[in-house]
Amino acid sequence: MSKNQDVIDLFNGAVMPTYSPAIAIMNGKGVTVTDVDGRKYYDFTSGIGIHTCGYGNPAIVKAIQDQAAVITHTSNLFVNVPETALAKKLVAMSELGGKVFFANSGAEANEAAIKLARKYGSASGRYEIVTFRNGFHGRTLATVAATGQAWCQEGYDPLPVGFAYADYNDLESVKAAITDKTVAIMLEAVQGEGGVTPATQEFMEGVRAICDEKDLLMIVDEVQTGMGRTGTMFAWQGYGVKPDMFTLAKALAGGLPMGALVGNAKVADVFTASSHASTFGGNPVAARAALAVIEFTEKNNLPKRAEEMGELLMNALQAKVDEYDKLLEVRGKGLMVGLVVDGDPKVLVDALRDMGLLALTAGGNVVRFLPPLILKESDLEDAIEMISDALENVYGTAE
Ligand SMILES: *Cc1c(COP(=O)(O)O)cnc(C)c1O
């Protein structure tokens, strides 16, 4: 018996079965994790897009340790110094000239964006938000309703109303979804869970133009794309299209739970005293970790590394697509990469894990790679070797 199996059995006996973990991870270092049996893996999931700066990053560890010894929580009845510094930094980085609201997760940051949009529209009787099929915005009732995918809505009726779904990368479909009740359009710059589909340049610009024309708020969900993953600090910067609001979470605080809603001047003061809140929002330990993440990301120019390594990974995968009939397409942006397969992607994800490489599925037929952005070329070469071996095991030797 493996220790992995023992721990998984304990887990399954005590934790509600919303997940089905295949291994139990003991620790992480850089771009690798080690399971309870002592087996080491390249982690091309980054804990689902979290560890952009690598596991056990000394600067992040130190920030967390230092702040934990100073104070771990103040409540928002008092000014919290690290939160204030982080807000100032996010506002400066975004160049949107606005303000920040802090939450504890991606869903909560999006929930805040949805509430803010409704408050903004309430004077004119507008509340509807256009979201996208194959999008993903979280698991609270409102964010599930915002998520245009049946699999995560099933069994949860009645869902909050006020969402209309349009087709991604299809401006005509967006126009058709807009009514006189519409107040906002909410989208990912690269759809992550839905299948690693980047927005086209034309689409991002078109959404911005529609929002300008109809006084709608453009909300970009950067929970997965943010903090350098797609080649710019925030993915919308890569398009040169400024949203009215965007949300961050996954990679923001280097492994600690934190979400943020960043808005421009137009929305900066829509929330008023007591109109929205979060007890833990802006937690000082998470805020110090986030400041360390940002400093490390900027100092090491991780967005540029994401772009360069992403190109190498996508080229290597494209070569495999050319070899194997069962591989259909490579798509993505930076180190957010999807390999579209003909069939169930889980088969390949399992084979990759057997080889020592952790990857994710997305959108029903996509193997998704979200490696730490500190990835070195030698790590990538090892990983590509593992991908070659896994493909051979699953699909046989290519012609
Ligand atoms: C993961 C994700 C969320 C949800 O974040 P949680 O922290 O799990 O609530 C929302 N939007 C996008 C784009 C995501 O990838």
Side-chain angles (χ1 to χ4, degrees):
M1 277 295 278
S2 75
K3 281 192 204 154
N4 267 307
Q5 197 52 53
D6 290 346
V7 178
I8 289 166
D9 289 346
L10 284 174
F11 176 94
N12 288 338
V15 179
M16 291 188 188
T18 58
Y19 312 104
S20 45
I23 54 170
I25 288 174
M26 187 82 144
N27 58 55
K29 187 89 208 132
V31 297
T32 62
V33 293
T34 305
D35 71 13
V36 291
D37 286 316
R39 176 143 196 228
K40 202 164 156 182
Y41 304 83
Y42 279 110
D43 184 10
F44 276 33
T45 76
S46 297
I48 320 191
I50 308 296
H51 296 283
T52 50
C53 304
Y55 286 90
N57 183 299
I60 300 170
V61 171
K62 184 167 188 315
I64 293 170
Q65 285 175 335
D66 286 356
Q67 185 59 38
V70 174
I71 191 167
T72 56
H73 175 83
T74 58
S75 93
N76 288 308
L77 300 174
F78 311 103
V79 171
N80 141 8
V81 176
E83 170 189 24
T84 310
L86 177 59
K88 190 162 170 261
K89 181 69 188 167
L90 288 172
V91 167
M93 286 160 72
S94 72
E95 300 181 324
L96 294 183
K99 292 181 182 173
V100 183
F101 175 83
F102 287 109
N104 311 290
S105 67
E108 272 183 81
N110 288 334
E111 185 91 19
I114 293 163
K115 284 182 74 178
L116 194 156
R118 286 195 179 187
K119 200 153 187 303
Y120 175 83
S122 62
S124 53
R126 299 184 298 155
Y127 58 86
E128 257 174 28
I129 299 176
V130 175
T131 62
F132 292 88
R133 294 191 183 87
N134 296 319
F136 184 85
H137 301 295
R139 303 300 198 131
T140 61
L141 282 171
T143 56
V144 156
T147 294
Q149 301 200 57
W151 62 267
C152 73
Q153 299 185 340
E154 249 167 54
Y156 298 121
D157 283 338
L159 291 175
V161 296
F163 297 95
Y165 307 125
D167 293 326
Y168 198 64
N169 282 334
D170 181 344
L171 290 170
E172 288 313 311
S173 155
V174 177
K175 287 177 192 159
I178 292 170
T179 70
D180 58 2
K181 299 280 179 234
T182 306
V183 70
I185 301 175
M186 181 167 171
L187 74 164
E188 295 155 90
V190 181
Q191 288 190 326
E193 308 298 320
V196 196
T197 308
T200 63
Q201 182 66 29
E202 182 198 2
F203 184 64
M204 285 294 271
E205 286 176 11
V207 168
R208 182 68 265 177
I210 293 168
C211 287
D212 288 341
E213 187 192 327
K214 300 190 183 291
D215 180 31
L216 309 179
L217 298 174
M218 179 172 177
I219 307 169
V220 178
D221 178 344
E222 293 265 357
V223 169
Q224 192 161 151
T225 51
M227 310 313 291
R229 178 153 300 279
T230 69
T232 48
M233 189 61 93
F234 312 123
W236 56 262
Q237 293 171 322
Y239 291 89
V241 171
K242 290 188 172 189
D244 296 291
M245 300 189 250
F246 66 99
T247 53
L248 296 168
K250 289 192 165 91
L252 177 58
L256 293 191
M258 175 172 249
L261 167 65
V262 185
N264 65 12
K266 194 163 152 179
V267 298
D269 296 310
V270 170
F271 281 144
T272 51
S274 307
S275 66
H276 192 50
S278 164
T279 298
F280 278 119
N283 174 273
V285 183
R288 280 287 300 278
L291 284 164
V293 166
I294 292 167
E295 193 183 333
F296 186 88
T297 302
E298 288 182 335
K299 204 158 82 187
N300 294 281
N301 203 353
L302 292 188
K304 181 148 181 282
R305 178 183 286 271
E307 189 186 351
E308 289 169 359
M309 291 294 131
E311 197 177 321
L312 291 179
L313 176 56
M314 280 196 263
N315 287 345
L317 292 174
Q318 185 57 51
K320 299 298 175 191
V321 170
D322 298 341
E323 271 179 61
Y324 287 92
D325 289 345
K326 287 283 185 187
L327 304 181
L328 305 180
E329 189 192 345
V330 181
R331 61 190 183 213
K333 219 173 175 59
L335 276 175
M336 186 165 178
V337 175
L339 174 63
V340 187
V341 302
D342 177 7
D344 183 358
K346 202 177 163 300
V347 181
L348 189 51
V349 166
D350 288 345
L352 288 168
R353 188 177 57 249
D354 289 344
M355 287 298 149
L357 181 69
L358 304 181
L360 297 147
T361 61
N365 66 339
V366 181
V367 176
R368 178 173 37 148
F369 300 100
L370 302 173
L373 309 186
I374 56 163
L375 193 69
K376 290 202 215 57
E377 209 166 325
S378 57
D379 300 326
L380 189 58
E381 279 162 11
D382 284 352
I384 289 165
E385 195 92 349
M386 291 172 179
I387 293 170
S388 295
D389 291 344
L391 285 171
E392 216 168 290
N393 284 355
V394 173
Y395 301 122
T397 310
E399 322 74 59

